[in-house]
Amino acid sequence: MRITEEEAALIAFVPALASVTERYKATASEAAAAESEIAIARERYADDDLEIDDDPIVSNAENGVWVSAWVWVPSETFVCECCNGEWTLDERADSGLCKECERTQAAEEENEDLCRTCGAQYEDGGDGFDGECPSCADKTDQKLHPENYEDQE
């Protein structure tokens, strides 16, 4: 955390904290010297997921300047923009949708069908039924109408 000029002046009154005052002066002058690099960093990198403070800490390097930044890390769960279900980070797609909704959306865009049960793609107009691939549709039918499958067991 950076301290303000006023805070540095107060700290200067305590002899044991002289090194803190000196460090403040050094970081303030580094930031002032890197003003154009900070502006470039904001222009190139700052967005909704990465922010740069008004007075960031900088560190000079051989071929450039490191500029401190804040990176947004979402909570461990999020709400899918499509189905409103809660999902964990590892189940989240980059689009803000859960992976299942993203797969479904991608299949719709490609005019392909995705099984609502297993997520597998199957041919449009194929043997699938009620949004399921042929394999899942058969399993569902077997669960719903076991009497039709009694002699197959």
Side-chain angles (χ1 to χ4, degrees), residues 24-147:
Y24 165 76
K25 289 177 184 175
T27 59
S29 70
E30 287 172 358
E35 196 172 307
S36 64
E37 288 87 349
I38 294 169
I40 291 169
R42 282 195 182 97
E43 183 180 313
R44 288 187 187 170
Y45 304 110
D47 60 22
D48 289 342
D49 295 326
L50 188 141
E51 294 183 13
I52 298 172
D53 285 338
D54 291 337
D55 189 23
I57 296 172
V58 296
S59 177
N60 292 317
E62 188 174 324
N63 293 318
V65 175
W66 288 98
V67 177
S68 65
W70 293 94
V71 178
W72 171 251
V73 178
S75 61
E76 290 195 27
T77 59
F78 80 102
V79 177
C80 176
E81 295 170 7
C82 178
C83 69
N84 292 323
E86 281 197 9
W87 303 93
T88 61
L89 281 175
D90 63 333
E91 297 169 317
R92 180 181 181 185
D94 292 333
S95 63
L97 305 175
C98 64
K99 289 182 181 177
E100 182 179 332
C101 288
E102 187 175 68
R103 276 194 306 266
T104 302
Q105 190 176 63
E108 287 172 1
E109 289 173 5
E110 295 176 11
N111 268 347
E112 294 181 17
D113 290 329
L114 277 186
C115 176
R116 64 181 167 85
T117 304
C118 71
Q121 292 183 348
Y122 64 98
E123 288 185 32
D124 192 24
D127 292 336
F129 178 74
D130 193 26
E132 291 184 307
C133 67
S135 176
C136 290
D138 288 345
K139 290 175 188 173
T140 299
D141 188 58
Q142 214 169 10
K143 286 177 188 173
L144 294 174
H145 305 286
E147 68 277 3

